[in-house]
Amino acid sequence: QVQLVESGGGLVQDGGSLRLSCAASGSIFRVNAMTWYRQAPGKEREYVATTSGGSTTYADSVKGRFTISRDDAKNTVYLQMNSLKPEDTAVYYCNAVVQYSLYGVGRNYWGQGTQVTVSS
Protein backbone atom coordinates (compact mmCIF):
# COMPACT_ATOMS: atom_id res chain seq x y z
CA GLN A 1 0.00 0.00 0.00
CA VAL A 2 1.21 3.51 -0.86
CA GLN A 3 0.14 6.85 0.54
CA LEU A 4 0.68 10.27 -0.97
CA VAL A 5 0.46 13.22 1.40
CA GLU A 6 0.38 16.78 0.07
CA SER A 7 1.17 19.91 2.04
CA GLY A 8 1.95 23.57 1.53
CA GLY A 9 -1.36 24.93 0.32
CA GLY A 10 -2.91 28.08 1.72
CA LEU A 11 -4.14 31.59 1.05
CA VAL A 12 -1.89 34.01 -0.83
CA GLN A 13 -2.34 37.35 -2.54
CA ASP A 14 -2.21 37.92 -6.28
CA GLY A 15 1.46 37.81 -7.35
CA GLY A 16 2.54 35.78 -4.34
CA SER A 17 4.28 32.41 -4.08
CA LEU A 18 3.65 29.02 -2.54
CA ARG A 19 5.54 25.75 -2.50
CA LEU A 20 3.61 22.49 -2.48
CA SER A 21 5.06 19.15 -1.40
CA CYS A 22 3.86 15.61 -1.96
CA ALA A 23 5.54 12.74 -0.15
CA ALA A 24 5.02 9.10 -1.09
CA SER A 25 5.39 6.40 1.56
CA GLY A 26 4.71 2.69 1.93
CA SER A 27 5.78 -0.34 -0.09
CA ILE A 28 7.87 1.45 -2.71
CA PHE A 29 10.63 0.09 -4.89
CA ARG A 30 10.71 3.10 -7.19
CA VAL A 31 8.56 6.12 -7.94
CA ASN A 32 8.42 6.85 -11.65
CA ALA A 33 6.42 9.79 -13.02
CA MET A 34 5.15 12.31 -10.50
CA THR A 35 2.51 14.76 -11.66
CA TRP A 36 0.53 17.68 -10.28
CA TYR A 37 -3.08 18.28 -11.27
CA ARG A 38 -5.58 20.86 -10.06
CA GLN A 39 -9.33 21.23 -9.91
CA ALA A 40 -11.10 24.55 -9.57
CA PRO A 41 -14.69 24.77 -8.29
CA GLY A 42 -17.14 23.69 -10.97
CA LYS A 43 -14.39 22.65 -13.37
CA GLU A 44 -12.78 19.40 -14.40
CA ARG A 45 -9.42 18.33 -13.04
CA GLU A 46 -6.63 19.66 -15.24
CA TYR A 47 -2.99 18.84 -15.79
CA VAL A 48 -0.34 21.14 -14.30
CA ALA A 49 3.14 19.57 -14.52
CA THR A 50 5.07 16.28 -14.62
CA THR A 51 8.56 15.12 -13.70
CA SER A 52 9.69 11.82 -15.12
CA GLY A 53 13.02 10.33 -16.13
CA GLY A 54 14.83 13.61 -15.63
CA SER A 55 12.42 15.55 -17.81
CA THR A 56 9.73 18.05 -16.89
CA THR A 57 6.66 19.23 -18.76
CA TYR A 58 4.16 21.96 -17.97
CA ALA A 59 0.73 23.11 -18.95
CA ASP A 60 0.87 26.30 -20.99
CA SER A 61 -1.08 28.14 -18.31
CA VAL A 62 1.71 27.72 -15.74
CA LYS A 63 4.84 27.73 -17.91
CA GLY A 64 7.40 30.21 -16.69
CA ARG A 65 5.65 30.62 -13.31
CA PHE A 66 5.63 27.12 -11.80
CA THR A 67 8.58 24.77 -11.32
CA ILE A 68 8.27 21.05 -10.58
CA SER A 69 11.13 19.21 -8.90
CA ARG A 70 11.69 16.02 -6.95
CA ASP A 71 13.86 14.46 -4.28
CA ASP A 72 14.08 10.74 -5.08
CA ALA A 73 15.77 9.95 -1.77
CA LYS A 74 12.61 11.19 -0.05
CA ASN A 75 10.12 10.06 -2.73
CA THR A 76 8.86 13.63 -2.72
CA VAL A 77 7.76 15.98 -5.48
CA TYR A 78 7.54 19.76 -5.14
CA LEU A 79 5.70 22.47 -7.00
CA GLN A 80 7.13 25.97 -6.63
CA MET A 81 4.42 28.40 -7.68
CA ASN A 82 5.40 32.02 -8.33
CA SER A 83 3.47 34.98 -9.71
CA LEU A 84 0.24 33.37 -8.60
CA LYS A 85 -3.03 34.59 -10.10
CA PRO A 86 -6.62 34.28 -8.86
CA GLU A 87 -7.26 31.80 -11.67
CA ASP A 88 -4.71 29.45 -10.07
CA THR A 89 -7.15 28.95 -7.20
CA ALA A 90 -7.92 25.23 -6.99
CA VAL A 91 -7.37 22.04 -5.07
CA TYR A 92 -3.99 20.70 -6.13
CA TYR A 93 -3.51 16.94 -6.31
CA CYS A 94 -0.37 14.91 -6.81
CA ASN A 95 -0.23 11.66 -8.71
CA ALA A 96 2.59 9.12 -8.66
CA VAL A 97 3.32 5.98 -10.62
CA VAL A 98 4.86 3.53 -8.15
CA GLN A 99 6.61 0.20 -8.64
CA TYR A 100 6.58 -2.38 -5.85
CA SER A 101 9.48 -4.34 -7.36
CA LEU A 102 12.08 -4.11 -10.11
CA TYR A 103 9.93 -5.92 -12.69
CA GLY A 104 6.58 -4.89 -11.29
CA VAL A 105 4.04 -2.83 -13.16
CA GLY A 106 3.73 0.78 -12.09
CA ARG A 107 0.49 1.66 -10.31
CA ASN A 108 -1.20 5.05 -10.05
CA TYR A 109 -1.78 6.71 -6.70
CA TRP A 110 -3.39 10.02 -5.78
CA GLY A 111 -2.99 12.32 -2.84
CA GLN A 112 -5.90 13.82 -0.95
CA GLY A 113 -5.39 17.31 -2.34
CA THR A 114 -4.35 20.65 -0.87
CA GLN A 115 -6.26 23.90 -1.29
CA VAL A 116 -4.58 26.89 -2.92
CA THR A 117 -6.48 30.17 -2.84
CA VAL A 118 -5.18 33.30 -4.54
CA SER A 119 -6.94 36.51 -3.60
CA SER A 120 -7.13 39.51 -5.91
Side-chain angles (χ1 to χ4, degrees):
Q1 192 73 346
V2 173
Q3 298 81 39
L4 299 182
V5 178
E6 296 120 333
S7 60
L11 174 64
V12 64
Q13 289 189 333
D14 191 353
S17 297
L18 282 175
R19 188 192 194 210
L20 305 183
S21 300
C22 173
S25 62
S27 301
I28 298 171
F29 172 77
R30 180 167 56 211
V31 181
N32 296 322
M34 302 187 85
T35 301
W36 287 98
Y37 292 84
R38 66 186 181 186
Q39 188 167 18
K43 295 187 177 181
E44 293 187 354
R45 192 170 296 190
E46 66 174 4
Y47 170 81
V48 175
T50 295
T51 174
S52 178
S55 298
T56 58
T57 58
Y58 298 91
D60 287 343
S61 59
V62 307
K63 244 176 228 180
R65 300 188 298 123
F66 291 10
T67 302
I68 190 171
S69 61
R70 64 193 291 169
D71 183 336
D72 288 331
K74 297 180 180 178
N75 290 326
T76 298
V77 63
Y78 305 97
L79 187 68
Q80 177 66 43
M81 305 185 293
N82 299 328
S83 303
L84 282 161
K85 306 174 183 179
E87 50 264 44
D88 294 317
T89 294
V91 178
Y92 283 71
Y93 297 90
C94 76
N95 172 278
V97 178
V98 178
Q99 283 180 251
Y100 292 135
S101 63
L102 177 61
Y103 301 108
V105 176
R107 299 184 183 184
N108 259 301
Y109 292 91
W110 290 90
Q112 82 287 354
T114 185
Q115 176 70 46
V116 171
T117 302
V118 184
S119 63
S120 56

